[in-house]
Amino acid sequence: MAIAITKKKSKLSKRAEKNQFHFCGTFIFRFLYRLHAAIFLLILVYLWSSSTTIISGNIVHLCVSSRKLNNLYCVSAGTQPNIEIPFSGLENTSIPTSLSSPNIIIKDIANKIQNKAEPITTSKDKEAEVAEKAIQEQLLIHRSWKSKIIDYGMCAGRGIFVYDLPSKFNKDLVGQCGDMMPWKNFCGYFSNDALGERIEKLGNGWHYTHQYALEPIFHAKVLNHPCRVFNENEAKLFYIPFYGGLDILRWHFKNVSNDVKDTLGLELVKWLNSKETWKRNSGKDHVLVLGKISWDFRRKDDAIWGTRFLELEQLQNPIKLLIERQPWHANDVGIPHPTFFHPNSDDDISTWQLKISRINRENLVSFAGADRPGAAGNIRSILIDQCNSSSEGTCRFLNCNAGQCDKPESVIELFTESEFCLQPPGDSPTRKSVFDSLISGCIPVIFDPYTAYYQYPWHLPEDHSKYSVFIDKEELRKTKMNVIERLKKIPAKERENMRRYIVYELLPGLVYGDSNSQLRKYQDAFSITINNLIERVNKLK
């Protein structure tokens, strides 16, 4: 009789199988966990290697560097105060000092500017009307200082005295070029009297010039000016060669107190107060050139960015020349951003004018820039989308986030091959790119009047329709109008007239010749500025 026997697993063997399964599962889990942790750690190391951390008060900022300094992107823990528009800075106007909503008022003013051929719309908001009137009156005053003298060597009664400041106020700041930014060595930009290395591909006079190099560039040119005098009593104008922008730059991303940031500016004021020439006219015949925007020198008490240099009471009388002025301060005057072009002779200018006049412009529109997805009121994404979706040959986008703008040759080549160059505001209203486009013969398309129209009364004409196209950024945001289609409707003859005006009337006055330039036929941006400064001093009572 056969008996069937069924084998049963013991309880012990079942436990062993369960433990074996548990061990395998645990091993796999730990392996994957460690793999994810390793990948996460690598990402953190990458971010840390390309970033800088700033701790100030209760605010912690992790900032990842991008192509340029002013394209730094930060993630912050804490709160930062909003920038307030200091209407109290409007001197000699009836603007009330306690406005209920200054941000709305400024927005209204920015929205009202139109081409000169069209009348400016009157706002129902009385405060906005008063504010706009004050801005226009200040620009009118600045234009009244424009000199009719065009001879570079006419120096009778026009002496310029250059203070020999202690080196800590200028040369020593340049000497810190290697440590100014945590991720970049700036020293190469300060060669050739701060013009930077030569760009052989573009021809004579082209250099890798940094956008914040204006202070040493201007200083080198003043030292060689034919009207420079060495006797204080022979001077009409006094130049203070303080590199305030570089002073700010070295502290931007370092964990230092506001007192440290303000130290050098306060020491300069103390030094000036010891000079009889300063006391004589309370600094009214003195000038400072600052290579950063006005807001960087007007820090509020509870803020962490910049210094209070231009808020100091002792510095209200001198003229301050800046790449971006604060429209509510009468003694702030905007002068052009330094471009990559620094001609040595009249021939350098004439040769470039002829070249860009003959270029076949293959693109109707171009935009060199980066998106600002987190910026309030951003219109760049709209413009980028319209450009990328346009038909081939209509619009070309150079993505600065992808490093495509690192080489000046690429930017200038794009602009010289384009009819129109889009110039939306960036981190602040003004853009160096506006001047790069103008010297390339590309008509700038402006979306905010503070980008150019309220900034440069000595170097750009009051009638901005001669050299630019204005499209209101608020209208663009609300209606999503197609900018490219609108530009297509501008007749070819009108474009040609604008370009001819830009190339032959504006261009020479928008560039800074090198420190040894011998310009006789043309006035560069520096000559125009110096002549107007002396005219302004001559009108002082």
Side-chain angles (χ1 to χ4, degrees), residues 448-461:
D448 186 330
Y450 290 91
T451 297
Y453 308 152
Y454 290 167
Q455 293 290 341
Y456 310 105
W458 291 351
H459 298 84
L460 295 177

Side-chain angles (χ1 to χ4, degrees), residues 152 192-195 216-225 342-344 512-518 524 526:
Y152 191 69
N192 294 317
D193 288 332
L195 302 183
I217 290 174
F218 205 95
H219 188 189
K221 289 182 68 65
V222 174
L223 292 176
N224 288 334
H225 197 283
H342 306 280
N344 176 262
Y512 296 91
D514 67 37
S515 59
N516 297 308
S517 60
Q518 302 293 322
D524 70 350
F526 171 79

Side-chain angles (χ1 to χ4, degrees), residues 11 16 35 140 146-147 163 226 250 257 333 416 437 530 536:
K11 292 183 177 180
L35 180 63
L140 188 63
K146 294 180 73 170
S147 173
Y163 282 117
R250 64 179 176 152
S257 67
V333 179
T416 55
S437 67
I530 288 293
R536 185 257 183 185

Side-chain angles (χ1 to χ4, degrees), residues 470-533:
F470 180 73
I471 297 176
D472 192 298
K473 62 181 180 182
E474 293 301 324
E475 183 183 352
L476 174 61
R477 267 200 295 265
K478 292 175 182 177
T479 66
K480 299 295 190 297
M481 77 165 73
N482 191 307
V483 172
I484 297 170
E485 292 301 317
R486 178 164 172 176
L487 295 174
K488 281 182 179 179
K489 296 178 181 179
I490 298 177
K493 182 64 175 177
E494 186 176 339
R495 298 178 207 165
E496 185 57 36
N497 289 339
M498 293 172 72
R499 182 170 301 104
R500 188 180 298 111
Y501 180 81
I502 289 169
V503 173
Y504 291 104
E505 299 293 332
L506 287 187
L507 189 154
L510 301 179
V511 298
Y512 296 91
D514 67 37
S515 59
N516 297 308
S517 60
Q518 302 293 322
L519 302 179
R520 293 293 177 264
K521 180 180 177 181
Y522 303 106
Q523 283 197 90
D524 70 350
F526 171 79
S527 297
I528 292 171
T529 300
I530 288 293
N531 286 337
N532 292 347
L533 283 171

Side-chain angles (χ1 to χ4, degrees), residues 89-90 134-143 145 290 292-298 310 319-337 428-430 449-458:
L90 284 163
I135 294 171
Q136 298 290 3
E137 286 178 352
Q138 284 189 6
L139 292 173
L140 188 63
I141 291 171
H142 289 175
R143 290 190 180 99
W145 299 339
L290 299 170
K292 292 191 99 272
I293 67 174
S294 183
W295 294 112
D296 285 339
F297 303 93
R298 299 186 182 279
L310 294 187
I319 286 290
K320 280 78 67 175
L321 304 177
L322 304 113
I323 56 175
E324 179 179 313
R325 68 182 291 261
Q326 209 272 36
W328 294 271
H329 286 267
N331 287 336
D332 276 18
V333 179
I335 61 175
H337 287 252
S428 69
T430 65
Y450 290 91
T451 297
Y453 308 152
Y454 290 167
Q455 293 290 341
Y456 310 105
W458 291 351

Side-chain angles (χ1 to χ4, degrees), residues 111-332:
N111 289 342
K112 290 191 297 176
I113 187 99
Q114 300 293 331
N115 289 334
K116 189 181 177 185
E118 303 172 7
I120 293 177
T121 305
T122 302
S123 171
K124 294 180 181 180
D125 189 326
K126 189 64 177 177
E127 291 177 341
E129 290 180 13
V130 174
E132 183 186 357
K133 181 181 178 182
I135 294 171
Q136 298 290 3
E137 286 178 352
Q138 284 189 6
L139 292 173
L140 188 63
I141 291 171
H142 289 175
R143 290 190 180 99
S144 73
W145 299 339
K146 294 180 73 170
S147 173
K148 296 180 181 179
I149 294 176
I150 58 174
D151 188 345
Y152 191 69
M154 286 184 60
C155 296
R158 304 174 74 244
I160 305 167
F161 184 83
V162 181
Y163 282 117
D164 185 16
L165 294 181
S167 61
K168 65 181 178 181
F169 294 114
N170 41 54
K171 294 178 183 177
D172 290 353
L173 294 172
V174 173
Q176 298 180 38
C177 57
D179 187 44
M180 224 164 252
M181 293 289 104
W183 58 84
K184 189 174 184 64
N185 189 318
F186 270 42
C187 296
Y189 292 113
F190 293 114
S191 62
N192 294 317
D193 288 332
L195 302 183
E197 299 298 329
R198 298 182 185 279
I199 306 175
E200 301 296 340
K201 182 179 179 180
L202 292 177
N204 292 337
W206 290 86
H207 295 259
Y208 291 100
T209 305
H210 195 272
Q211 60 178 341
Y212 296 143
L214 180 61
E215 293 155 352
I217 290 174
F218 205 95
H219 188 189
K221 289 182 68 65
V222 174
L223 292 176
N224 288 334
H225 197 283
C227 297
R228 182 189 177 192
V229 296
F230 296 88
N231 184 338
E232 297 174 350
N233 296 321
E234 297 176 2
K236 178 69 70 171
L237 178 69
F238 294 83
Y239 169 61
I240 308 167
F242 172 49
Y243 297 175
L246 297 186
D247 179 38
I248 284 181
L249 207 55
R250 64 179 176 152
W251 300 127
H252 264 340
F253 306 106
K254 291 184 175 67
N255 183 25
V256 299
S257 67
N258 285 344
D259 288 340
V260 172
K261 298 175 187 177
D262 294 337
T263 297
L264 200 59
L266 291 170
E267 289 179 359
L268 177 66
V269 169
K270 183 178 180 181
W271 189 91
L272 289 170
N273 283 332
S274 69
K275 301 295 177 182
E276 289 301 319
T277 47
W278 171 265
K279 298 175 184 177
R280 190 163 56 207
N281 286 312
S282 302
K284 293 178 181 178
D285 48 3
H286 286 57
V287 62
L288 286 149
V289 178
L290 299 170
K292 292 191 99 272
I293 67 174
S294 183
W295 294 112
D296 285 339
F297 303 93
R298 299 186 182 279
R299 189 192 70 238
K300 297 300 180 183
D301 292 336
D302 54 352
I304 61 171
W305 187 268
T307 71
R308 295 189 63 255
F309 184 62
L310 294 187
E311 293 294 301
L312 299 176
E313 182 180 353
Q314 300 92 328
L315 291 176
Q316 300 314 300
N317 287 333
I319 286 290
K320 280 78 67 175
L321 304 177
L322 304 113
I323 56 175
E324 179 179 313
R325 68 182 291 261
Q326 209 272 36
W328 294 271
H329 286 267
N331 287 336
D332 276 18

